[in-house]
Structure formats: structure tokens, C-alpha cells
């Protein structure tokens, strides 16, 4: 049964970009074409690469390559090494997760020289956690995400705290710990609403929608995804718009409105193919294959499911679902040999994703984080109480001193 809403980073349709972002892009291109300062041009290329990641992956990589070439030519090794962060994100979107991990490790090894609590380290740890999360390495993901969370809380980076809480919530959702997931998502939504950060707000709303969808509240889930779609179209975020279509489509399929659901999923797939978002494509193709099975179109189902495996992206959860759908398809076709083969692959993949020991480790991280937070709150309360007592004692001494002084003055006056 298809009940698999996308994670926060599986996110598309109109080639519209918000006015503010278009203005920034135009300004950056002016710098590239007119500036004679290498560092300025390299910085402009780097920023253009980041802005293009969710809309034009090929252009994003070209821009970052241009920045890298300039840094290399002028011998700026530090800035060249920092570009590994952008390369990690690009490779993650491409589905090249091993390369992405190599990039982010190079980035972190370089940045850690700056000190233990910088925002740059936190964003590197967050990116590493996201990569592990997509791969299905949830225990490794949580280790990185909680490290990032502690740093961002310490330096007061509220928007990043919200993003990280959202990602932690996604892991709880995948482990069917829906109450813990909802708690994380609601905290993230509150932070992003207060910070007026619409991009990250859309992500958190999408995550909450997925949480409701997986509990069978599909109509409620669709309403959240439609709110996300409005925000993402406004921002011109192609990657996010695709994810919204994907999630809405899955919602309608779960409501047995197969044709309507397939229509949305095909819109999502079209955008993902145009932008080269392979890890996202694999998920949507899996969802489409499952929908075609339910709709009775077995030939289309077989073709698209096998094509999704040909993408060879290492998203363990998606592979598991594809194997399960193929096993069901061949069972219906009475090709029991193939059905059993895919069922065995499904079982192997399932075992590799989820181990009881891994769950214990993940739960212990949650307990440790909450315990440390509680200890911090108690320490702050004790400090506040101590300060309050100290102020009370000081005021008492002051009042008594004034009173004694007044009495002495009165006696002195009486004597005179």
C-alpha cells in the first residue's frame, strides 16, 4: 500500500523566479561581466551557483566550477576548499551520495580549523546529516543533526535550528514515531513563522503534511501541501514545486483518486527530469509504478519501476519500496519466480535499513538531547534564583541601612 510521502529535501513547475531573486541574479551577472576584481567575480559565481541549485542543476555546477577556477588561478586555497559545501549539495541533488559525502568531509575538515562553534561547521554537519538521511542511514544522520542543532542553539541561529528540527522530525516520521515528529515540525513552523522565512516554512509545512498523510489523514495532508505549493511557486523553487506535486499526487492516490494522483506525479517527474534531480525521480517513479498497479496498467508499472532501478541512486528506502511493488506486480502476473526474487531483495533491503540496535541508538540521542536541554534549563533557573536572592539580600541591606541612617539622623536632630 502506497503511504510514502516525500522527505523534506524531495522537492516543482513554473520557471518563475521571485522578483527579489531575479534582481539579485541580474546584479551578480553585472559583477561577473564588469568587475576586474577576481575575488568579486568568484563570489558572484559562487552565489549564482547556490541560487541555481533548486532550479537548474547543470548551470549551478557550471557557476561553482567557474568560481573554483578563479580561486585556483589566484592561489586562494581556503576559498576553493570551502566550495566543497556547494559541491556536496549539487551531488546530493544529483543522487551521487558518495561524492557528496566526500565533498562535505573535505569542507568540514577545512572549516573545523576556525573553531568548534561556527555557523559554517553547523551547516556542514547539517548537510552531512541530510545526505545520510536520504541514504537511509538514520542513526548516522541523527548524530550529525544533533551536533548541528547544539551549535546553532548556542550561537542563536534560529532559522537553522528550525531547519534542523524539521530534518530530525522527518527521521522520527520515517520510524513511525509520529508524535515525536509532529512535535519537531510544530516547533520548526513556529520558528520560521516568527523569523518570516517562507522557504523553510514551506518545508516544515510539507513535513507536517507528510506526517498526517502517513497516519491516514490524506485530505488534511493535501491541504498542507497546497499551502506549500503557493509559497514555493511564489519563490520560484522548482525543486520544491516538484515535491509539492509529488506529495499532492500521493495524497490523491491514497484517497483512491488514481487518475488525479497520477496527473500530479507526472508533473513532478517532468520537472525533476528537466533539472536532473535523480534521487527525487527515483521516488516519484516508484510512486507512479505503484499507482499504475492499482490503476490496472501493469505494463506501464513494470516499465517505470525497472527504469527507477536503472537510475542507480543509493536511496535505500526508495529501493525497498520499488522491490516491494515489483514483487506485488509479478505476483498478480503469476510470475512467481520473479515475485519471490524481488520479495527477497525487499527483505534484504528492509533489514539493512532498520535494525533494533540502530533504533536504540537513535532514541538515546533524543533522550540525551532532551536531558542536556533540561539540565541547561535547571542550571539557568538556579542561576536566576541565585541572582534573585542576591538582589533581594542587597535590597534588604540597603533598606536596613537607610532605616538605621534615618533613625540616627532623627536622634541627632532630637539631641540638638
Amino acid at each position: 500500500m502506497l503511504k510514502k510521502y516525500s522527505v523534506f529535501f524531495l522537492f516543482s513547475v513554473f520557471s518563475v523566479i521571485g522578483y527579489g531573486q531575479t534582481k539579485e541574479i541580474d546584479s551578480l551577472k553585472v559583477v561577473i561581466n564588469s568587475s576586474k576584481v577576481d575575488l568579486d567575480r568568484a563570489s558572484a559565481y559562487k552565489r549564482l551557483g547556490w541560487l541555481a541549485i533548486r532550479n537548474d542543476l547543470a548551470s549551478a555546477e557550471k557557476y561553482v566550477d567557474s568560481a573554483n577556477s578563479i580561486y585556483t588561478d589566484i592561489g586562494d586555497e581556503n576559498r576553493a576548499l570551502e566550495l566543497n559545501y556547494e559541491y556536496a549539495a549539487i551531488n546530493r541533488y544529483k543522487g551521487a551520495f558518495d561524492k557528496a559525502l566526500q565533498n562535505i568531509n573535505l569542507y568540514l575538515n577545512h572549516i573545523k580549523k576556525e573553531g568548534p562553534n561556527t555557523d559554517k561547521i553547523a551547516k556542514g554537519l547539517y548537510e552531512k546529516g541530510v545526505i545520510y538521511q536520504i541514504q537511509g542511514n538514520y542513526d548516522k544522520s541523527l548524530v550529525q543533526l544533533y551536533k548541528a542543532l547544539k551549535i546553532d542553539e548556542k550561537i542563536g541561529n534560529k532559522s537553522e535550528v528550525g531547519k534542523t528540527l524539521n530534518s530530525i522530525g522527518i527521521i522520527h516520521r520515517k520510524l513511525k514515531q509520529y508524535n515525536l515528529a509532529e512535535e519537531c515540525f510544530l516547533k520548526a513552523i513556529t520558528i520560521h513563522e516568527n523569523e518570516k522565512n517562507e522557504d523553510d516554512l514551506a518545508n516544515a509545512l510539507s513535513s507536517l503534511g507528510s506526517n498526517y498523510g502517513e497516519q491516514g489523514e490524506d485530505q488534511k495532508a493535501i491541504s498542507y501541501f497546497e499551502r506549500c505549493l503557493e509559497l514555493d511557486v511564489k519563490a520560484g523553487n522548482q525543486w520544491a514545486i516538484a515535491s509539492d506535486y509529488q506529495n499532492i499526487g500521493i495524497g490523491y492516490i491514497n484517497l483512491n483518486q488514481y487518475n488525479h494522483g497520477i496527473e500530479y506525479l507526472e508533473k513532478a517527474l517532468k520537472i525533476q527530469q528537466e533539472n536532473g534531480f535523480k534521487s527525487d525521480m527515483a521516488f516519484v517513479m516508484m510512486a507512479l509504478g505503484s499507482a499504475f498497479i492499482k490503476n490496472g496498467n501493469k505494463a506501464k508499472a513494470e516499465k517505470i519501476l525497472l527504469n527507477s532501478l536503472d537510475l542507480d541512486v543509493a536511496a535505500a528506502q526508495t529501493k525497498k519500496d520499488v522491490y516491494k511493488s515489483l514483487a506485488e506486480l509479478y505476483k498478480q502476473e503469476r510470475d512467481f519466480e520473479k515475485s519471490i526474487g524481488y520479495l527477497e531483495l525487499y527483505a534484504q533491503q528492509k533489514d539493512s535499513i532498520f535494525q533494533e540496535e540502530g533504533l536504540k541508538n537513535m532514541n538515546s540521542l533524543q533522550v540525551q538531547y532532551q536531558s542536556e536541554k533540561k539540565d541547561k534549563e535547571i542550571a539557568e533557573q538556579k542561576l536566576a534564583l541565585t541572582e534573585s536572592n542576591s538582589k533581594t539580600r542587597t535590597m534588604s541591606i540597603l533598606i536596613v541601612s537607610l532605616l538605621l541612617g534615618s533613625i540616627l539622623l532623627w536622634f541627632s536632630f532630637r539631641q540638638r
Side-chain angles (χ1 to χ4, degrees):
M1 180 180 182
L2 180 63
K3 227 13 146 178
K4 193 61 62 180
Y5 289 82
S6 74
V7 294
F8 125 84
F9 21 74
L10 299 177
F11 272 70
S12 197
V13 77
F14 315 113
S15 58
V16 179
I17 298 178
Y19 173 73
Q21 192 173 7
T22 303
K23 192 174 180 181
E24 183 182 5
I25 288 171
D26 291 342
S27 299
L28 291 167
K29 287 182 177 178
V30 169
V31 172
I32 288 169
N33 293 325
S34 62
S35 178
K36 295 180 180 180
V37 181
D38 288 332
L39 281 178
D40 290 346
R41 290 173 55 245
S43 295
Y45 274 124
K46 178 182 177 180
R47 178 62 180 162
L48 278 173
W50 186 255
L51 291 174
I53 281 178
R54 294 184 176 185
N55 299 290
D56 186 348
L57 203 55
S59 293
E61 190 164 15
K62 287 178 182 177
Y63 286 134
V64 177
D65 283 343
S66 296
N68 193 28
S69 294
I70 294 173
Y71 290 141
T72 302
D73 288 344
I74 64 177
D76 195 332
E77 186 181 359
N78 287 332
R79 286 188 173 89
L81 283 168
E82 284 192 29
L83 286 176
N84 276 292
Y85 178 80
E86 281 74 17
Y87 281 123
I90 289 168
N91 282 318
R92 169 165 63 85
Y93 279 90
K94 288 167 67 175
F97 301 125
D98 289 340
K99 284 185 179 179
L101 283 172
Q102 289 173 8
N103 291 135
I104 206 61
N105 284 331
L106 285 170
Y107 170 83
L108 282 168
N109 289 338
H110 172 66
I111 292 300
K112 283 177 181 176
K113 298 172 186 176
E114 295 185 6
N117 293 313
T118 71
D119 59 335
K120 290 181 180 180
I121 291 176
K123 78 175 189 176
L125 292 168
Y126 174 82
E127 178 64 29
K128 192 171 182 179
V130 169
I131 296 166
Y132 280 136
Q133 184 180 2
I134 298 174
Q135 288 182 301
N137 294 326
Y138 300 141
D139 52 344
K140 289 183 178 180
S141 177
L142 279 179
V143 169
Q144 304 303 317
L145 292 175
Y146 274 115
K147 285 180 181 178
L149 184 62
K150 288 175 184 177
I151 293 173
D152 284 322
E153 285 182 334
K154 186 170 184 177
I155 63 179
N157 198 338
K158 292 180 180 179
S159 291
E160 294 303 315
V161 168
K163 283 173 60 177
T164 306
L165 283 170
N166 184 68
S167 291
I168 290 170
I170 289 168
I171 294 178
H172 287 307
R173 175 176 63 77
K174 284 181 166 290
L175 295 171
K176 304 190 185 304
Q177 299 171 336
Y178 298 119
N179 290 336
L180 284 173
E182 184 173 356
E183 184 182 330
C184 289
F185 298 145
L186 289 173
K187 285 180 182 177
I189 287 169
T190 300
I191 289 170
H192 295 314
E193 284 178 337
N194 291 338
E195 295 295 305
K196 299 187 182 340
N197 189 333
E198 291 190 345
D199 284 348
D200 292 326
L201 174 60
N203 289 337
L205 289 168
S206 178
S207 296
L208 186 58
S210 297
N211 208 50
Y212 288 130
E214 291 198 7
Q215 295 175 82
E217 299 182 62
D218 296 290
Q219 199 61 60
K220 192 173 183 179
I222 289 171
S223 69
Y224 277 97
F225 298 140
E226 287 174 341
R227 284 178 63 189
C228 295
L229 185 59
E230 290 178 12
L231 291 170
D232 292 328
V233 169
K234 180 181 174 183
N237 187 335
Q238 295 297 298
W239 174 67
I241 298 169
S243 179
D244 299 333
Y245 279 142
Q246 160 187 304
N247 288 333
I248 293 169
I250 291 171
Y252 280 121
I253 288 166
N254 290 333
L255 292 170
N256 299 324
Q257 299 180 33
Y258 301 124
N259 291 336
H260 206 29
I262 287 169
E263 179 186 347
Y264 275 98
L265 289 173
E266 287 180 335
K267 284 182 181 180
L269 183 60
K270 183 175 184 293
I271 295 164
Q272 289 159 353
Q273 287 172 331
E274 289 172 352
N275 289 277
F277 300 141
K278 286 188 177 182
S279 61
D280 298 9
M281 285 166 56
F283 181 89
V284 172
M285 290 166 78
M286 176 278 297
L288 273 169
S290 180
F292 285 134
I293 292 173
K294 292 180 178 181
N295 210 24
N297 196 333
K298 295 175 183 175
K300 270 191 172 182
E302 181 180 28
K303 182 178 179 181
I304 200 162
L305 287 170
L306 292 174
N307 284 344
S308 73
L309 291 176
D310 289 339
L311 289 174
D312 194 30
V313 290
Q317 185 70 43
T318 301
K319 279 187 178 181
K320 177 178 77 72
D321 293 330
V322 171
Y323 292 146
K324 186 178 180 181
S325 293
L326 284 167
E328 176 61 28
L329 172 66
Y330 289 125
K331 178 184 175 184
Q332 291 182 18
E333 293 287 295
R334 303 190 69 78
D335 189 338
F336 297 116
E337 185 177 350
K338 284 185 179 179
S339 179
I340 292 170
Y342 281 108
L343 201 59
E344 288 175 349
L345 288 171
Y346 165 75
Q348 291 170 12
Q349 196 73 28
K350 186 178 179 183
D351 290 342
S352 69
I353 292 173
F354 179 77
Q355 296 289 342
E356 184 178 353
E357 191 61 36
L359 179 58
K360 286 179 182 176
N361 291 337
M362 286 181 263
N363 286 337
S364 69
L365 279 171
Q366 171 73 7
V367 171
Q368 182 183 348
Y369 169 70
Q370 294 295 348
S371 177
E372 288 179 2
K373 196 166 186 180
K374 188 175 180 181
D375 290 343
K376 183 181 177 183
E377 289 172 357
I378 291 170
E380 288 173 350
Q381 287 172 1
K382 285 181 178 178
L383 179 61
L385 183 61
T386 302
E387 290 176 350
S388 177
N389 291 337
S390 177
K391 286 177 182 177
T392 302
R393 284 196 297 272
T394 302
M395 288 299 294
S396 298
I397 292 167
L398 182 60
I399 290 168
V400 170
S401 299
L402 287 170
L403 184 59
L404 288 172
S406 299
I407 292 170
L408 287 171
L409 283 171
W410 183 78
F411 273 118
S412 176
F413 175 76
R414 292 285 295 175
Q415 285 177 339
R416 287 178 184 176

PDB file of all heavy atoms in Angstrom, residues 192-212:
ATOM      1  N   HIS A 192       9.976  29.431  12.024  1.00  0.00           N
ATOM      2  CA  HIS A 192      10.032  30.032  10.690  1.00  0.00           C
ATOM      3  C   HIS A 192       8.955  31.102  10.496  1.00  0.00           C
ATOM      4  O   HIS A 192       9.172  32.071   9.764  1.00  0.00           O
ATOM      5  CB  HIS A 192       9.926  28.948   9.621  1.00  0.00           C
ATOM      6  CG  HIS A 192      11.074  27.997   9.621  1.00  0.00           C
ATOM      7  ND1 HIS A 192      12.384  28.418   9.699  1.00  0.00           N
ATOM      8  CD2 HIS A 192      11.125  26.637   9.567  1.00  0.00           C
ATOM      9  CE1 HIS A 192      13.187  27.370   9.697  1.00  0.00           C
ATOM     10  NE2 HIS A 192      12.449  26.283   9.625  1.00  0.00           N
ATOM     11  N   GLU A 193       7.808  30.931  11.144  1.00  0.00           N
ATOM     12  CA  GLU A 193       6.777  31.985  11.099  1.00  0.00           C
ATOM     13  C   GLU A 193       7.282  33.245  11.798  1.00  0.00           C
ATOM     14  O   GLU A 193       7.105  34.356  11.288  1.00  0.00           O
ATOM     15  CB  GLU A 193       5.488  31.489  11.746  1.00  0.00           C
ATOM     16  CG  GLU A 193       4.702  30.523  10.874  1.00  0.00           C
ATOM     17  CD  GLU A 193       3.447  30.003  11.552  1.00  0.00           C
ATOM     18  OE1 GLU A 193       3.384  30.023  12.802  1.00  0.00           O
ATOM     19  OE2 GLU A 193       2.534  29.557  10.836  1.00  0.00           O
ATOM     20  N   ASN A 194       7.916  33.072  12.949  1.00  0.00           N
ATOM     21  CA  ASN A 194       8.455  34.221  13.693  1.00  0.00           C
ATOM     22  C   ASN A 194       9.594  34.906  12.945  1.00  0.00           C
ATOM     23  O   ASN A 194       9.731  36.129  12.994  1.00  0.00           O
ATOM     24  CB  ASN A 194       8.944  33.776  15.077  1.00  0.00           C
ATOM     25  CG  ASN A 194       7.803  33.369  15.995  1.00  0.00           C
ATOM     26  OD1 ASN A 194       6.656  33.777  15.795  1.00  0.00           O
ATOM     27  ND2 ASN A 194       8.096  32.558  16.996  1.00  0.00           N
ATOM     28  N   GLU A 195      10.396  34.093  12.259  1.00  0.00           N
ATOM     29  CA  GLU A 195      11.528  34.633  11.505  1.00  0.00           C
ATOM     30  C   GLU A 195      11.124  35.121  10.117  1.00  0.00           C
ATOM     31  O   GLU A 195      11.946  35.659   9.382  1.00  0.00           O
ATOM     32  CB  GLU A 195      12.626  33.555  11.361  1.00  0.00           C
ATOM     33  CG  GLU A 195      13.270  33.117  12.660  1.00  0.00           C
ATOM     34  CD  GLU A 195      14.044  34.222  13.335  1.00  0.00           C
ATOM     35  OE1 GLU A 195      14.929  34.813  12.696  1.00  0.00           O
ATOM     36  OE2 GLU A 195      13.745  34.524  14.508  1.00  0.00           O
ATOM     37  N   LYS A 196       9.846  34.882   9.756  1.00  0.00           N
ATOM     38  CA  LYS A 196       9.314  35.267   8.436  1.00  0.00           C
ATOM     39  C   LYS A 196      10.148  34.657   7.304  1.00  0.00           C
ATOM     40  O   LYS A 196      10.470  35.319   6.304  1.00  0.00           O
ATOM     41  CB  LYS A 196       9.247  36.794   8.307  1.00  0.00           C
ATOM     42  CG  LYS A 196       8.340  37.445   9.346  1.00  0.00           C
ATOM     43  CD  LYS A 196       8.162  38.913   9.083  1.00  0.00           C
ATOM     44  CE  LYS A 196       7.307  39.642  10.104  1.00  0.00           C
ATOM     45  NZ  LYS A 196       6.416  38.881  10.934  1.00  0.00           N
ATOM     46  N   ASN A 197      10.497  33.386   7.482  1.00  0.00           N
ATOM     47  CA  ASN A 197      11.301  32.659   6.498  1.00  0.00           C
ATOM     48  C   ASN A 197      10.385  31.718   5.723  1.00  0.00           C
ATOM     49  O   ASN A 197      10.100  30.596   6.149  1.00  0.00           O
ATOM     50  CB  ASN A 197      12.409  31.875   7.227  1.00  0.00           C
ATOM     51  CG  ASN A 197      13.411  31.282   6.279  1.00  0.00           C
ATOM     52  OD1 ASN A 197      13.112  30.997   5.123  1.00  0.00           O
ATOM     53  ND2 ASN A 197      14.626  31.089   6.751  1.00  0.00           N
ATOM     54  N   GLU A 198       9.897  32.175   4.557  1.00  0.00           N
ATOM     55  CA  GLU A 198       8.869  31.439   3.834  1.00  0.00           C
ATOM     56  C   GLU A 198       9.379  30.137   3.215  1.00  0.00           C
ATOM     57  O   GLU A 198       8.649  29.151   3.142  1.00  0.00           O
ATOM     58  CB  GLU A 198       8.247  32.329   2.761  1.00  0.00           C
ATOM     59  CG  GLU A 198       7.403  33.455   3.339  1.00  0.00           C
ATOM     60  CD  GLU A 198       6.593  34.185   2.284  1.00  0.00           C
ATOM     61  OE1 GLU A 198       6.892  34.021   1.080  1.00  0.00           O
ATOM     62  OE2 GLU A 198       5.665  34.925   2.664  1.00  0.00           O
ATOM     63  N   ASP A 199      10.635  30.112   2.754  1.00  0.00           N
ATOM     64  CA  ASP A 199      11.179  28.888   2.149  1.00  0.00           C
ATOM     65  C   ASP A 199      11.200  27.743   3.157  1.00  0.00           C
ATOM     66  O   ASP A 199      10.718  26.644   2.888  1.00  0.00           O
ATOM     67  CB  ASP A 199      12.599  29.126   1.618  1.00  0.00           C
ATOM     68  CG  ASP A 199      12.596  29.909   0.317  1.00  0.00           C
ATOM     69  OD1 ASP A 199      11.505  30.065  -0.272  1.00  0.00           O
ATOM     70  OD2 ASP A 199      13.658  30.375  -0.102  1.00  0.00           O
ATOM     71  N   ASP A 200      11.771  28.001   4.316  1.00  0.00           N
ATOM     72  CA  ASP A 200      11.873  26.957   5.335  1.00  0.00           C
ATOM     73  C   ASP A 200      10.516  26.662   5.966  1.00  0.00           C
ATOM     74  O   ASP A 200      10.252  25.534   6.389  1.00  0.00           O
ATOM     75  CB  ASP A 200      12.881  27.353   6.411  1.00  0.00           C
ATOM     76  CG  ASP A 200      14.308  27.371   5.876  1.00  0.00           C
ATOM     77  OD1 ASP A 200      14.611  26.534   5.014  1.00  0.00           O
ATOM     78  OD2 ASP A 200      15.099  28.226   6.299  1.00  0.00           O
ATOM     79  N   LEU A 201       9.636  27.669   6.010  1.00  0.00           N
ATOM     80  CA  LEU A 201       8.271  27.445   6.490  1.00  0.00           C
ATOM     81  C   LEU A 201       7.553  26.452   5.588  1.00  0.00           C
ATOM     82  O   LEU A 201       6.862  25.545   6.069  1.00  0.00           O
ATOM     83  CB  LEU A 201       7.504  28.766   6.546  1.00  0.00           C
ATOM     84  CG  LEU A 201       6.014  28.676   6.895  1.00  0.00           C
ATOM     85  CD1 LEU A 201       5.813  28.052   8.273  1.00  0.00           C
ATOM     86  CD2 LEU A 201       5.367  30.057   6.830  1.00  0.00           C
ATOM     87  N   ALA A 202       7.739  26.604   4.279  1.00  0.00           N
ATOM     88  CA  ALA A 202       7.114  25.674   3.326  1.00  0.00           C
ATOM     89  C   ALA A 202       7.608  24.254   3.564  1.00  0.00           C
ATOM     90  O   ALA A 202       6.829  23.296   3.539  1.00  0.00           O
ATOM     91  CB  ALA A 202       7.414  26.107   1.888  1.00  0.00           C
ATOM     92  N   ASN A 203       8.901  24.100   3.816  1.00  0.00           N
ATOM     93  CA  ASN A 203       9.461  22.768   4.075  1.00  0.00           C
ATOM     94  C   ASN A 203       8.830  22.134   5.313  1.00  0.00           C
ATOM     95  O   ASN A 203       8.470  20.956   5.319  1.00  0.00           O
ATOM     96  CB  ASN A 203      10.980  22.864   4.283  1.00  0.00           C
ATOM     97  CG  ASN A 203      11.718  23.170   3.005  1.00  0.00           C
ATOM     98  OD1 ASN A 203      11.223  22.906   1.914  1.00  0.00           O
ATOM     99  ND2 ASN A 203      12.891  23.744   3.130  1.00  0.00           N
ATOM    100  N   ALA A 204       8.703  22.924   6.378  1.00  0.00           N
ATOM    101  CA  ALA A 204       8.152  22.401   7.629  1.00  0.00           C
ATOM    102  C   ALA A 204       6.670  22.058   7.480  1.00  0.00           C
ATOM    103  O   ALA A 204       6.193  21.044   8.010  1.00  0.00           O
ATOM    104  CB  ALA A 204       8.356  23.408   8.757  1.00  0.00           C
ATOM    105  N   LEU A 205       5.922  22.879   6.742  1.00  0.00           N
ATOM    106  CA  LEU A 205       4.509  22.590   6.482  1.00  0.00           C
ATOM    107  C   LEU A 205       4.360  21.306   5.672  1.00  0.00           C
ATOM    108  O   LEU A 205       3.464  20.492   5.920  1.00  0.00           O
ATOM    109  CB  LEU A 205       3.861  23.756   5.728  1.00  0.00           C
ATOM    110  CG  LEU A 205       3.643  25.044   6.527  1.00  0.00           C
ATOM    111  CD1 LEU A 205       3.271  26.190   5.595  1.00  0.00           C
ATOM    112  CD2 LEU A 205       2.567  24.851   7.585  1.00  0.00           C
ATOM    113  N   SER A 206       5.268  21.127   4.714  1.00  0.00           N
ATOM    114  CA  SER A 206       5.257  19.898   3.904  1.00  0.00           C
ATOM    115  C   SER A 206       5.525  18.671   4.770  1.00  0.00           C
ATOM    116  O   SER A 206       4.882  17.633   4.627  1.00  0.00           O
ATOM    117  CB  SER A 206       6.316  19.995   2.804  1.00  0.00           C
ATOM    118  OG  SER A 206       6.362  18.812   2.037  1.00  0.00           O
ATOM    119  N   SER A 207       6.476  18.810   5.689  1.00  0.00           N
ATOM    120  CA  SER A 207       6.806  17.694   6.577  1.00  0.00           C
ATOM    121  C   SER A 207       5.621  17.339   7.475  1.00  0.00           C
ATOM    122  O   SER A 207       5.326  16.160   7.690  1.00  0.00           O
ATOM    123  CB  SER A 207       8.014  18.057   7.443  1.00  0.00           C
ATOM    124  OG  SER A 207       9.162  18.252   6.656  1.00  0.00           O
ATOM    125  N   LEU A 208       4.944  18.352   7.981  1.00  0.00           N
ATOM    126  CA  LEU A 208       3.777  18.101   8.829  1.00  0.00           C
ATOM    127  C   LEU A 208       2.664  17.440   8.014  1.00  0.00           C
ATOM    128  O   LEU A 208       1.985  16.526   8.497  1.00  0.00           O
ATOM    129  CB  LEU A 208       3.284  19.410   9.445  1.00  0.00           C
ATOM    130  CG  LEU A 208       2.149  19.295  10.466  1.00  0.00           C
ATOM    131  CD1 LEU A 208       2.554  18.398  11.635  1.00  0.00           C
ATOM    132  CD2 LEU A 208       1.742  20.669  10.988  1.00  0.00           C
ATOM    133  N   GLY A 209       2.505  17.875   6.766  1.00  0.00           N
ATOM    134  CA  GLY A 209       1.533  17.244   5.881  1.00  0.00           C
ATOM    135  C   GLY A 209       1.837  15.773   5.665  1.00  0.00           C
ATOM    136  O   GLY A 209       0.949  14.916   5.701  1.00  0.00           O
ATOM    137  N   SER A 210       3.111  15.463   5.450  1.00  0.00           N
ATOM    138  CA  SER A 210       3.527  14.070   5.272  1.00  0.00           C
ATOM    139  C   SER A 210       3.233  13.247   6.524  1.00  0.00           C
ATOM    140  O   SER A 210       2.840  12.086   6.441  1.00  0.00           O
ATOM    141  CB  SER A 210       5.026  14.000   4.961  1.00  0.00           C
ATOM    142  OG  SER A 210       5.322  14.647   3.749  1.00  0.00           O
ATOM    143  N   ASN A 211       3.444  13.861   7.682  1.00  0.00           N
ATOM    144  CA  ASN A 211       3.185  13.171   8.950  1.00  0.00           C
ATOM    145  C   ASN A 211       1.711  12.792   9.067  1.00  0.00           C
ATOM    146  O   ASN A 211       1.370  11.683   9.495  1.00  0.00           O
ATOM    147  CB  ASN A 211       3.601  14.073  10.117  1.00  0.00           C
ATOM    148  CG  ASN A 211       4.010  13.295  11.347  1.00  0.00           C
ATOM    149  OD1 ASN A 211       4.826  12.371  11.269  1.00  0.00           O
ATOM    150  ND2 ASN A 211       3.461  13.635  12.490  1.00  0.00           N
ATOM    151  N   TYR A 212       0.818  13.717   8.674  1.00  0.00           N
ATOM    152  CA  TYR A 212      -0.615  13.418   8.696  1.00  0.00           C
ATOM    153  C   TYR A 212      -0.966  12.369   7.640  1.00  0.00           C
ATOM    154  O   TYR A 212      -1.777  11.475   7.873  1.00  0.00           O
ATOM    155  CB  TYR A 212      -1.430  14.689   8.461  1.00  0.00           C
ATOM    156  CG  TYR A 212      -1.435  15.641   9.623  1.00  0.00           C
ATOM    157  CD1 TYR A 212      -1.136  16.992   9.454  1.00  0.00           C
ATOM    158  CD2 TYR A 212      -1.736  15.203  10.910  1.00  0.00           C
ATOM    159  CE1 TYR A 212      -1.139  17.873  10.526  1.00  0.00           C
ATOM    160  CE2 TYR A 212      -1.730  16.072  11.993  1.00  0.00           C
ATOM    161  CZ  TYR A 212      -1.433  17.407  11.793  1.00  0.00           C
ATOM    162  OH  TYR A 212      -1.427  18.262  12.855  1.00  0.00           O
TER     163      TYR A 212
END
